[in-house]
Amino acid sequence: MRDIFFFDSMLTPKIITIVYWILLFAVVVSGIGSMFAGKFLWGLVALVGGAVGARIWCELLIVLFKINDNIKQLAEPGKEAE
Protein backbone atom coordinates (compact mmCIF):
# COMPACT_ATOMS: atom_id res chain seq x y z
CA MET A 1 0.00 0.00 0.00
CA ARG A 2 2.88 2.35 0.69
CA ASP A 3 3.93 2.19 -2.97
CA ILE A 4 0.53 3.47 -4.09
CA PHE A 5 0.14 6.25 -1.53
CA PHE A 6 3.67 7.63 -1.89
CA PHE A 7 3.99 7.18 -5.68
CA ASP A 8 6.89 4.73 -5.41
CA SER A 9 5.31 2.61 -8.14
CA MET A 10 3.01 3.42 -11.01
CA LEU A 11 -0.62 2.33 -10.77
CA THR A 12 -1.64 3.36 -14.29
CA PRO A 13 0.12 0.52 -16.18
CA LYS A 14 -1.98 -1.96 -14.21
CA ILE A 15 -5.12 0.00 -15.01
CA ILE A 16 -4.24 0.13 -18.73
CA THR A 17 -4.54 -3.67 -18.90
CA ILE A 18 -8.08 -3.47 -17.51
CA VAL A 19 -8.94 -0.63 -19.91
CA TYR A 20 -7.65 -2.74 -22.81
CA TRP A 21 -9.97 -5.61 -21.97
CA ILE A 22 -12.92 -3.22 -21.60
CA LEU A 23 -12.11 -1.66 -24.98
CA LEU A 24 -11.77 -5.08 -26.57
CA PHE A 25 -15.16 -6.14 -25.19
CA ALA A 26 -16.75 -2.93 -26.51
CA VAL A 27 -15.19 -3.48 -29.95
CA VAL A 28 -16.45 -7.06 -30.12
CA VAL A 29 -19.97 -6.09 -29.04
CA SER A 30 -20.19 -3.19 -31.50
CA GLY A 31 -18.67 -5.22 -34.34
CA ILE A 32 -21.04 -8.12 -33.86
CA GLY A 33 -23.92 -5.68 -33.42
CA SER A 34 -23.09 -4.09 -36.77
CA MET A 35 -22.90 -7.51 -38.41
CA PHE A 36 -26.38 -8.42 -37.18
CA ALA A 37 -27.73 -4.98 -38.15
CA GLY A 38 -27.12 -5.78 -41.80
CA LYS A 39 -23.71 -4.19 -42.20
CA PHE A 40 -21.65 -7.37 -42.14
CA LEU A 41 -18.57 -6.02 -43.92
CA TRP A 42 -18.53 -2.81 -41.84
CA GLY A 43 -18.90 -4.89 -38.66
CA LEU A 44 -16.00 -7.11 -39.69
CA VAL A 45 -13.79 -4.10 -40.45
CA ALA A 46 -14.78 -2.47 -37.14
CA LEU A 47 -14.06 -5.70 -35.29
CA VAL A 48 -10.57 -6.19 -36.71
CA GLY A 49 -9.63 -2.51 -36.92
CA GLY A 50 -10.97 -1.72 -33.47
CA ALA A 51 -9.13 -4.62 -31.84
CA VAL A 52 -5.85 -3.65 -33.51
CA GLY A 53 -6.39 0.05 -32.75
CA ALA A 54 -7.14 -0.62 -29.08
CA ARG A 55 -4.05 -2.80 -28.79
CA ILE A 56 -1.79 -0.20 -30.40
CA TRP A 57 -3.19 2.62 -28.24
CA CYS A 58 -2.68 0.65 -25.02
CA GLU A 59 0.81 -0.46 -26.06
CA LEU A 60 1.82 3.15 -26.75
CA LEU A 61 0.68 4.14 -23.27
CA ILE A 62 2.65 1.25 -21.74
CA VAL A 63 5.74 2.31 -23.72
CA LEU A 64 5.58 5.73 -22.08
CA PHE A 65 5.66 4.16 -18.63
CA LYS A 66 8.49 1.80 -19.60
CA ILE A 67 10.50 4.82 -20.79
CA ASN A 68 9.86 6.40 -17.39
CA ASP A 69 11.10 3.26 -15.60
CA ASN A 70 14.27 3.13 -17.71
CA ILE A 71 15.02 6.81 -17.17
CA LYS A 72 14.50 6.33 -13.44
CA GLN A 73 17.00 3.44 -13.45
CA LEU A 74 19.54 5.54 -15.34
CA ALA A 75 19.13 8.42 -12.90
CA GLU A 76 19.86 6.25 -9.85
CA PRO A 77 23.58 6.09 -9.14
CA GLY A 78 25.14 2.64 -9.17
CA LYS A 79 22.35 0.99 -11.21
CA GLU A 80 22.50 0.08 -14.85
CA ALA A 81 19.55 -0.21 -17.22
CA GLU A 82 18.34 -3.74 -17.86
Side-chain angles (χ1 to χ4, degrees), residues 2 8-9 12 16 25 28-29 31 35-36 38 44 48 52 60 64 67 69 72 78 81:
R2 183 183 186 288
D8 291 335
S9 70
T12 309
I16 291 173
F25 177 75
V28 168
V29 168
M35 286 179 185
F36 284 120
L44 191 61
V48 173
V52 170
L60 287 173
L64 291 174
I67 290 170
D69 288 340
K72 195 185 313 181

Side-chain angles (χ1 to χ4, degrees), residues 31 34-35 38-48:
S34 291
M35 286 179 185
K39 301 177 183 176
F40 183 80
L41 189 58
W42 174 250
L44 191 61
V45 168
L47 192 66
V48 173

